[in-house]
Amino acid sequence: MDEPSMPTPPAGTTPPPAPSSPPGPPTPPIPLAELLASKDLGLRRIAGPAEAELLWVHTSEMADPYPYLLGGELLLSAGVLLTDPDHYVGRLVAAGAAALGFGVRPVHETVPGALIEACDRQGLPLLEVPPETPFTAIARAVWRLMAEARHRELRRVTRAQQALATAAARPDPVPAVLHQLATQLGGRAVLLTARGEEVHAAGRRLPPEPAGALTRLARVVARERPGSPASATDTHGDTHLSAYALGGGDGLVLALAAGRRESGDHTVAGIAVVLLSLLAAPHQGADAAGRSAALVRMLLGATPAEVAPLLGATGPWTVIHARRTDGTPADALTAGALGASLGTALVDAGRGGGEAVRLLLPLPGAAAGPLPEAEADRITPQPGWTLGASAPTPVTALDAGDALAARALAHAQATRAPLTVDAPVSGLAALVPPEEAAAHARALLAPLTAPLADTLRCWLSLHGNWDRTAVALGVHRNTVRQRIGRCGELLDADLDDMDVRAELWFALRQG
């Protein structure tokens, strides 16, 4: 069965995601001209328009590859079953193929003239592939160009995130963020009320017609009625329009207009939405300068305990800890891309030395406790990362959430799971009054030092597995055995007894 295929990436690399559901900014399409500029391939455009955008490469020798095309492909073929060039090209155009690469020899000595005429007539770029160029070399070249384009886009998004965070630290942060956003997108950024009244604006003014279209689009996402979408896009002539509902329940909308739309624009706008939702919400207790300073300090690595008083009563929040799956340290570029994927600009990339990346995810409208289904869907496994997330916590307990996230990350690494979410106390344990449970836990665990209690908690959470506990704690397995043995001695308890384990687990869960 001939199926759609992505370019085969070089060994040791990960292929780019399909553009329908990318993690973070999607891979920009590759201009056909960039591929033709690769002199070592020897490709030559012999028919059709000069401009096209490639999303991937597909090789097929079927008489009609239409059912197996998704659109945007550079289709490569040697014309083994080519009998009716006009019909063949028509089916490729109908499927949305971006271009056709035709390999000469051994089937055809030259590109058939009828195929050239059909491509010219139906507007499909036709490339001549010389005999010495294998189709796999073209696929690798497209993959390389895609990887380079994605890297450029990730760098652009990271620079935009840093610029927006800096703008949020200024004395009048909302206009500053809008101005920076308009600069980054090369257009106009407007903050509107649910009724379409302009609160702040930045960037070049729009003519009356596109300005009216932008206001109407903003009303689509204004949360005055149930079921309103969180975002919407449209075009008016050559102007690209988009609107995003801000959090906070006040009906504010961020509306954007630009003459171009690049692949990372939606991600940059998403970062601005997070910042503006925090900065513009009137119910926050801290002053604007204090809130913006808190945002920047979180981005630069301040502890949640320092930031909590400045963020006021917003929340609850989920704290996320993350490490690269391959063990490589995360830098500002990769940490920023992770934050964009999870929908938050509050990212602390750490200070090197293998520290985990920390992220703070606001959950407007949620209650502390188990994650609501809609919010749980926001925290999804991310390719190349291992994540640990706390249960939603109030802003006054971010330090506790930070510890829970670290514990969840350790559990995820030990069990080789891409994501672990720390669950709050529930079930029968939740029936015991918290004060009584905490008092019982303090009395039961009093003989243990903090390192011993942490080791016992981790060991019990991993069902007594020595090796996984050692991985989670970053110590030797013999150290784990010694600490657990010491716990048994100090508690005067048989840790192989399930009743004992259950009671200890209940006590440890109170801390």
Side-chain angles (χ1 to χ4, degrees), residues 438-506:
H440 173 74
R442 286 193 297 271
L444 181 62
L445 302 174
L448 303 183
T449 62
L452 288 177
D454 287 340
T455 302
L456 181 59
R457 179 190 295 109
C458 185
W459 182 70
L460 290 173
S461 74
L462 294 169
H463 311 291
N465 187 294
W466 305 107
D467 293 324
R468 288 184 174 179
T469 304
V471 170
L473 297 175
V475 299
H476 195 275
R477 69 194 307 270
N478 288 342
T479 302
V480 176
R481 287 184 176 275
Q482 292 168 3
R483 291 181 182 178
I484 296 301
R486 183 61 175 158
C487 288
E489 293 173 2
L490 292 174
L491 296 172
D492 191 22
D494 179 6
L495 298 184
D496 290 328
D497 187 312
M498 285 304 300
D499 289 336
V500 172
R501 289 193 182 191
E503 184 175 8
L504 289 172
W505 178 246
F506 170 79

Side-chain angles (χ1 to χ4, degrees), residues 271-504:
I271 295 169
V273 167
V274 173
L275 290 170
L276 290 170
S277 295
L278 291 167
L279 294 170
H283 63 272
Q284 295 187 48
D287 63 281
R291 288 195 301 269
S292 58
L295 293 172
V296 175
R297 288 170 64 186
M298 174 60 74
L299 287 167
L300 296 179
T303 64
E306 291 177 288
V307 176
L310 296 174
L311 286 177
T314 55
W317 305 77
T318 285
V319 184
I320 300 174
H321 282 213
R323 281 198 175 93
R324 299 289 297 175
T325 305
D326 60 8
T328 59
D331 55 19
L333 175 67
T334 54
L338 176 64
S341 299
L342 293 171
T344 181
L346 303 181
V347 179
D348 173 16
R351 300 176 179 82
E355 288 187 17
V357 174
R358 294 187 304 167
L359 306 96
L360 192 59
L361 185 64
L363 304 176
L371 277 173
E373 183 176 351
E375 298 298 345
D377 291 342
R378 292 179 59 188
I379 307 176
T380 57
Q382 300 294 315
W385 291 92
T386 301
L387 307 180
S390 74
T393 183
V395 71
T396 54
L398 285 177
D399 52 349
D402 195 42
L404 292 176
R407 186 186 305 170
L409 175 60
H411 191 281
Q413 289 182 298
T415 57
R416 295 183 175 87
L419 167 66
T420 295
V421 178
D422 186 86
V425 176
S426 59
L428 291 175
L431 300 178
V432 181
E435 297 79 6
E436 295 182 17
H440 173 74
R442 286 193 297 271
L444 181 62
L445 302 174
L448 303 183
T449 62
L452 288 177
D454 287 340
T455 302
L456 181 59
R457 179 190 295 109
C458 185
W459 182 70
L460 290 173
S461 74
L462 294 169
H463 311 291
N465 187 294
W466 305 107
D467 293 324
R468 288 184 174 179
T469 304
V471 170
L473 297 175
V475 299
H476 195 275
R477 69 194 307 270
N478 288 342
T479 302
V480 176
R481 287 184 176 275
Q482 292 168 3
R483 291 181 182 178
I484 296 301
R486 183 61 175 158
C487 288
E489 293 173 2
L490 292 174
L491 296 172
D492 191 22
D494 179 6
L495 298 184
D496 290 328
D497 187 312
M498 285 304 300
D499 289 336
V500 172
R501 289 193 182 191
E503 184 175 8
L504 289 172

